[in-house]
Amino acid sequence: MGAVAVAATDQGTPVEVQQFLDLRYSDADGSAGLFDLHLPISDQHRVSTNDAGEVFVEGAPRPAILMIHGGGWAIGDKWTLRAYCDRLAQLGFVVLNMNYRLAPQHQFPRQVDDVRQALLQLVEHSDAWKIDLNRVGMFGYSAGGHLSALIGVLSNEDRPTQMLASEWGSDDPRWEQLPPIAAVCAGGPPCDFRIVPDDNAGLSYFLGGTPREVPNNYLGASPTAHVSPGDPPMQLIHGEKDLLVPLENSEKFAAALMDAGVAVSLTVIENQGHMMTLFHPTTKQQIKDFFVKQLLQP
């Protein structure tokens, strides 16, 4: 079902954004396999649907952004990022806002594979939705920031490394269908689980056991472990006083990216904790500026 939201540009000009809510990208139970589609409407881009409810866009291909909510991999829903989606759509982005399977019922790496499956929606509908698959970005916060960063750094790794964070088989044809990731913005992301003590069970609900029991899961889930030259440009955003996911996560991840020659910027929001950083005006501005620079500007 389509709905129209009216956003406003920085100049105050109203821009219509067509929302198509609760579409399905997988057959996961409940809301886990759902996504929202946010499409800007303009003189150059018109949106329509057919009798089957399929969405079509007229106009030139545009960049797309996949949005991934937080919640410790165990709670949360895409609606928490809906306002961000409309703000990005009114700038000219096609925005897909996804849910994913949640722990502890679904443990790593199912959340990662859900992100990949959502990315395949952009490929499958690239012609109908007029998406430029060479300009695909990702944004996530907290657990969503982790998933965004992980997909970003794994995208150019060899298949055995990618399979450390996947249930897909090595010969699954979906690997070759995934779009390249052109830019990643991650807020408050946990970045390195290799530092967890061997017998600490605090993340067992997500990673399936302690580091001693499932060491490859802690390795596979760690974005910092997979940094390499050729990773997409990254914008990291972190609260200075984040006690849930310490700032050191982003600092060390940014340092590793820099050492590998990857374009990276870390914005630290002073005097802010984990949750409030997501809604801080600086965060909103950084998200916008980063994607405009990386995906819209020539």
Side-chain angles (χ1 to χ4, degrees):
M1 181 68 67
V4 175
V6 179
T9 65
D10 289 344
Q11 291 76 33
T13 306
V15 174
E16 285 190 356
V17 176
Q18 189 89 20
Q19 300 173 343
F20 295 90
L21 306 180
D22 293 332
L23 306 178
R24 185 162 290 280
Y25 72 89
S26 83
D27 58 2
D29 291 340
S31 64
L34 300 179
F35 71 94
D36 298 339
L37 181 65
H38 297 247
L39 296 170
I41 302 171
S42 69
D43 291 340
Q44 291 78 36
H45 292 88
R46 301 187 182 277
V47 179
S48 62
T49 58
N50 63 15
D51 291 341
E54 297 171 314
V55 180
F56 295 91
V57 178
E58 299 176 14
R62 296 180 287 189
I65 300 173
L66 178 64
M67 307 287 282
I68 311 174
H69 71 80
W73 310 278
I75 60 173
D77 187 271
K78 54 187 170 57
W79 69 264
T80 59
L81 295 179
R82 192 164 291 165
Y84 278 96
C85 295
D86 282 335
R87 290 189 192 102
L88 288 168
Q90 61 93 16
L91 292 171
F93 296 101
V94 174
V95 182
L96 192 155
N97 186 21
M98 68 173 293
N99 279 347
Y100 49 87
R101 288 173 288 179
L102 299 175
Q105 181 180 357
H106 298 284
Q107 295 179 336
F108 176 87
R110 291 182 178 179
Q111 294 79 9
V112 192
D113 281 337
D114 284 352
V115 174
R116 295 187 178 102
Q117 196 65 42
L119 285 168
L120 290 177
Q121 286 291 308
L122 300 177
V123 177
E124 180 180 345
H125 298 284
S126 60
D127 184 57
W129 298 345
K130 294 299 183 286
I131 293 171
D132 182 349
L133 293 176
N134 290 313
R135 293 188 290 164
V136 173
M138 301 175 67
F139 169 79
Y141 193 82
S142 191
H146 161 258
L147 294 170
S148 300
L150 185 62
I151 288 288
V153 296
L154 282 175
S155 60
N156 65 344
E157 296 299 307
D158 59 26
R159 192 59 43 78
T161 302
Q162 291 177 322
M163 289 177 63
L164 290 172
S166 182
E167 292 183 330
W168 293 4
S170 61
D171 58 350
D172 193 309
R174 291 176 292 182
W175 288 115
E176 302 302 327
Q177 298 166 8
L178 289 167
I181 305 302
V184 173
C185 183
C191 295
D192 199 341
F193 303 111
R194 298 172 298 173
I195 63 174
V196 176
D198 284 347
D199 296 309
N200 187 307
L203 288 171
S204 293
Y205 77 97
F206 169 53
L207 292 174
T210 67
R212 191 185 303 277
E213 292 166 339
V214 287
N216 280 346
N217 283 3
Y218 284 75
L219 170 63
S222 297
T224 306
H226 308 300
V227 169
S228 63
D231 288 344
M234 296 214 182
Q235 170 68 61
L236 306 178
I237 304 168
H238 219 111
E240 179 190 23
K241 296 186 176 180
D242 191 330
L243 301 180
L244 186 61
V245 181
L247 173 59
E248 183 181 18
N249 279 266
S250 285
E251 289 176 333
K252 290 188 174 181
F253 185 44
L257 289 164
M258 197 171 300
D259 287 346
V262 179
V264 58
S265 178
L266 170 58
T267 299
V268 178
I269 311 295
E270 293 183 359
N271 299 315
Q272 295 299 309
H274 188 71
M275 287 309 301
M276 293 310 298
T277 295
L278 172 61
F279 305 106
H280 196 277
T282 300
T283 297
K284 297 175 183 178
Q285 190 66 40
Q286 287 295 316
I287 294 169
K288 171 192 167 183
D289 291 349
F290 174 72
F291 285 124
V292 167
K293 177 181 178 182
Q294 296 296 332
L295 301 180
L296 276 182
Q297 293 179 352

